[in-house]
Amino acid sequence: MDSYNAPESTPSASSRPEDYFIGATPLQKRLESVRKHSSFIPTPPRRKIPQCSQLQEDVDPQKVAFLLHKQWTLYSLTPLYKFSYSNLKEYSRLLNAFIVAEKQKGLAVEVGEDFNIKVIFSTLLGMKGAQRDPEAFLVQILSKSQLPSENRQGKVLWTGWFCCIFGDSLLETVSEDFTCLPLFLANGAESNTAIIGTWFQKTFDCYFSPLAINAFNLSWMAAMWTACKMDHYVATTEFLWSVPCSPQSLDISFAIHPEDAKALWDSVHKTPGEVTQEEVDLFMDCLYSHFHRHFKIHLSATRLVRVSTSVASAHTDGKIKILCHKYLIGVLAYLTELAIFQIE
Amino acid sequence: MDETVAEFIKRTILKIPMNELTTILKAWDFLSENQLQTVNFRQRKESVVQHLIHLCEEKRASISDAALLDIIYMQFHQHQKVWDVFQMSKGPGEDVDLFDMKQFKNSFKKILQRALKNVTVSFRETEENAVWIRIAWGTQYTKPNQYKPTYVVYYSQTPYAFTSSSMLRRNTPLLGQALTIASKHHQIVKMDLRSRYLDSLKAIVFKQYNQTYETHNSTTPLQERSLGLDINLETKFKSGLNGSILAEREEPLRCLIKFSSPHLLEALKSLAPAALVCRIQKLLCYSGSHSQGTQDPSSWQKDLYLLFVHLYPRC
C-alpha cells in the first residue's frame, strides 16, 4: 500500500497481514503491482489526491509561474555524485565554457547568437515534497542582450530543472556523496538538452534516460487530476488514443466537459482523500463504455497516448504541461515516482 | 398496350409518392398537358393510377417509354440504390477521342444485344455530360426482367461510371465490357468506393480526377492532408457495468469526439466500418448536432464526410 502522508513523515510501511511482500517498501510493493499491470490483490495500490501541501505555500507563485503552461520533456536522472549547491556559480561557468567549446566543434547549433549566451544555475526554493527532499535547481541558457544593461536579461533559450518530490525511497538507498534529483524536465531545443546532458553526465557521473509514460500511468494521472478540486476549469478534459489500422494510424480524441468528467469521477470515487486502482479502472471503463455505446469501438484495445485536464496534460512520449499552480507539487510527485521506478 | 408493360408502368407509378407525381410525369413528357389536366390528382392513389394507365394505353406506351419513366423515378430516388464506382482507362499511347454520345449509345446497346439477345437498354441524358443508362437483363431464351434492372450513370467527360449494385452479378463483366468498348476505353476497374449518395461519390472521384491534372501546381498532395471528423455527443451516461454510476444525473455528458488520420476514410473503414458508421448516423439523428471537419470546410472534405456518414446505411 502506498500512501503519502503529511510532508514531514515518511510513508509508513503497511502492516496488513495480506501483504506478501514482507519487508518491501511501500513503493516497491506498488511497483510490483505496476509491473504485473494488475490490481495488487488483496490490497490495491492507492495514492493520495494532490492537495495543497504545506510546503508549497512557501513557494512564491510568481517565481514558479514560468514553470506552468510550458511543455516539458521528461527524463529520469540517476543520483549526482559529489554535486554541491555551493558551487552553482562554478557550474555556470564550466557549463558555459563547455557549450561554447561544443559550438566551436560545430555541434551546438541552436544556442542563440554565436557565443552570446549566458548559463545560469539557480535553486528553486520550496520545490519539494518532504523536508528530506533535496533542493530543486534550475539551469537556464539565456542569450546575452546586445545592450549591457543590468535589467536586460536577454531571452531564455533553454530551461532545465532538476527536482525530487517525495523521493524517500531513492534517498534511503544512496550514500551522502550523492544528490538525488531523479526528475529532470527540459524545455527548449533538443540539441541544447543533449549538450547539457552530456556535461552533467561527465561531471557528476550520472545518467539521463527519457521518461516515457505508459497508458496505465496516463490513466492514473487522468483520474487523479480529475479528482482534484478546482475553482474553475481552464481546459476541457481530453483523452487521445492512437489506433493502428491500415493504411495509417487513426487518432481518436474524446473530449468531455470538465464538469461532467468530475461528476463521473465523483460518482465512481469512494475513498475520501485517496485514489485507488479500482476507482481508476472504473473511471476509465465508464469512459470506454460510453464511447462503445455510441461507436461500437473498444477504446480499451487501443493505445492511450495523451490525457489532458485543467490540472495538467501528459503525453506518452514523456511530455508534460502543468496548468495549475495549486497542484504543481502533486503532479511532480507522481512524475518523481515514475522516474525513480525507471532508475531502479 | 402489352399487359406486361401496363403492369410495369402501374407498379412504377404506384411507387411514386403523391407529392412527386406531377413533377415526374412532367419530366417523363409522355402524357400530354391536355391528358394530364383530365386527371384528378386529389383522388385516392389507386384511382389516379387507374386513370393514368388508361391514358398511357390511349397513347400506346411501349416498353421503352416505361423504361424511361423508371429511369426518371430512379433519378429522383437515387438513394434507394447503392452505387459502385468504375474507373476506365485508355491504353498507353491511345488518343483521347472526342466523345460522341450517339455513337456511344449505339455501340453500348449493340454490344449487349449481341451478347444477350433479350435485353432492354434505355438512355436518358442529363446535364454535366452525363447519361443515365437502364438495363433490364434477359437471356437468350427469357425475356428481360424489368423489375431488376441495373442503372449506370456515365459522365462522358470523365473515365467514371457509377452503377447500381445489381443482384444479377453475372452480368457485371458484360456491362463493364460494353461500357469500356462503347466509350473507347481499354480497361475498367471497380473502385473501392460505395455509397447511396451519388453526389458524394462524384465529389470524391471528380476531385481526385481533377487533382491528377493539378498535381504540378498543387503544393499539398492529397495524401498529406489530414482529415478530420468531429462529432458532438450530448447523451446521458448509461453504464452497463454499474447501474448506480451517474444514475441521478439528469444532464447529459457533453463530449466531443474527433477522428483524424492522413487517410481517414480508409482508416475508418478498416476499423469497424458498418457498425461505426451506423452509430454515427444514428447519433446525428438523435442529437441533431452538426459535425464539421477540423479544417476549414472545403467542399471536398464536406463531401467526404457525407460519403463517410452514408457509406454503410444498413445497420
Side-chain angles (χ1 to χ4, degrees), chain B residues 68-314:
Chain B
L68 191 58
L69 178 64
D70 190 35
I71 293 183
I72 296 169
Y73 171 79
M74 195 42 57
Q75 285 176 323
F76 273 76
H77 295 266
Q78 299 174 4
H79 55 279
Q80 283 182 5
K81 296 278 177 208
V82 179
W83 300 89
D84 289 314
V85 189
F86 287 87
Q87 182 178 18
M88 295 182 278
S89 51
K90 300 248 179 201
E94 268 180 46
D95 282 333
V96 181
D97 290 337
L98 280 176
F99 182 79
D100 183 340
M101 183 59 84
K102 194 162 166 200
Q103 177 269 318
F104 168 79
K105 294 198 298 194
N106 284 338
S107 184
F108 185 84
K109 199 164 185 174
K110 269 209 188 90
I111 293 165
L112 292 183
Q113 283 172 336
R114 236 181 273 150
L116 289 177
K117 194 175 159 194
N118 287 304
V119 65
T120 312
V121 185
S122 321
F123 301 93
R124 187 167 193 254
E125 287 166 65
T126 63
E127 72 285 336
E128 293 180 297
N129 295 301
V131 56
W132 278 67
I133 313 169
R134 177 184 179 277
I135 306 121
W137 306 91
T139 65
Q140 300 280 3
Y141 312 103
T142 58
K143 283 186 125 183
N145 183 347
Q146 299 299 338
Y147 297 94
K148 289 213 173 109
T150 302
Y151 303 89
V152 180
V153 188
Y154 172 50
Y155 286 82
S156 57
Q157 298 305 307
T158 78
Y160 298 105
F162 304 92
T163 70
S164 64
S165 305
S166 175
M167 301 306 278
L168 306 168
R169 273 191 231 284
R170 65 173 185 274
N171 294 312
T172 312
L174 178 58
L175 175 61
Q177 209 176 22
L179 270 171
T180 315
I181 297 171
S183 64
K184 301 223 178 106
H185 284 88
H186 185 72
Q187 206 186 28
I188 187 167
V189 290
K190 189 163 168 212
M191 292 180 76
D192 193 20
L193 281 174
R194 280 187 119 203
S195 174
R196 285 186 185 271
Y197 293 85
L198 275 175
D199 288 336
S200 309
L201 289 171
K202 273 160 63 180
I204 294 192
V205 295
F206 291 168
K207 186 74 186 221
Q208 267 181 19
Y209 180 61
N210 290 330
Q211 205 82 33
T212 36
Y213 291 91
E214 285 167 19
T215 35
H216 302 297
N217 307 319
S218 167
T219 48
T220 334
L222 204 65
Q223 272 66 21
E224 278 173 24
R225 256 184 258 156
S226 192
L227 297 174
L229 175 67
D230 288 3
I231 295 167
N232 265 304
L233 284 182
E234 273 192 41
T235 52
K236 210 169 163 274
F237 179 78
K238 247 187 289 187
S239 173
L241 319 158
N242 185 334
S244 65
I245 297 175
L246 286 182
E248 283 114 40
R249 192 178 166 90
E250 280 305 315
E251 302 92 4
L253 291 183
R254 290 159 285 180
C255 307
L256 176 65
I257 315 291
K258 294 190 210 189
F259 297 90
S260 63
S261 167
H263 285 104
L264 184 61
L265 188 60
E266 282 79 9
L268 286 165
K269 274 166 68 178
S270 73
L271 187 63
L276 167 63
V277 186
C278 182
R279 292 298 134 198
I280 292 173
Q281 200 176 17
K282 281 207 173 133
L283 276 173
L284 292 172
C285 298
Y286 287 163
S287 60
S289 60
H290 59 282
S291 305
Q292 62 265 3
T294 49
Q295 338 271 165
D296 61 278
S298 73
S299 69
W300 202 106
Q301 285 155 341
K302 197 156 51 106
D303 288 317
L304 175 67
Y305 158 69
L306 281 171
L307 169 71
F308 164 75
V309 169
H310 299 299
L311 203 56
Y312 296 93
R314 237 172 286 124

Side-chain angles (χ1 to χ4, degrees), chain A residues 3-76:
Chain A
S3 63
Y4 292 117
N5 303 319
E8 263 66 33
S9 60
T10 56
S12 57
S14 171
S15 56
R16 293 197 190 185
E18 300 98 315
D19 294 338
Y20 36 90
F21 294 108
I22 310 292
T25 67
L27 180 63
Q28 283 173 332
K29 286 193 199 106
R30 200 193 62 75
L31 294 176
E32 201 46 53
S33 79
V34 165
R35 284 195 191 99
K36 284 188 200 152
H37 263 236
S38 61
S39 220
F40 178 76
I41 296 157
T43 327
R46 47 189 72 230
R47 284 191 180 82
K48 211 158 181 229
I49 295 175
Q51 309 286 340
C52 259
S53 81
Q54 201 182 346
L55 277 175
Q56 206 186 326
E57 314 254 304
D58 301 326
V59 176
D60 187 355
Q62 299 279 42
K63 292 228 169 77
V64 296
F66 75 100
L67 297 175
L68 304 178
H69 302 284
K70 254 198 189 71
Q71 182 173 278
W72 301 100
T73 308
L74 302 169
Y75 298 83
S76 65

Side-chain angles (χ1 to χ4, degrees), chain A residues 190-255:
Chain A
E190 174 65 40
S191 52
N192 289 338
T193 310
I195 295 176
I196 287 150
T198 308
W199 184 83
F200 268 89
Q201 286 178 166
K202 272 174 44 175
T203 313
F204 302 109
D205 198 22
C206 58
Y207 184 69
F208 289 89
S209 187
L211 185 65
I213 309 172
N214 63 22
F216 176 82
N217 285 307
L218 285 175
S219 307
W220 261 92
M221 288 178 188
M224 288 179 76
W225 299 338
T226 304
C228 292
K229 216 162 91 115
M230 300 286 283
D231 298 323
H232 67 278
Y233 293 100
V234 298
T236 196
T237 303
E238 192 185 338
F239 299 80
L240 185 68
W241 287 271
S242 178
V243 189
C245 49
S246 66
Q248 259 162 291
S249 72
L250 171 72
D251 287 335
I252 302 178
S253 150
F254 183 162

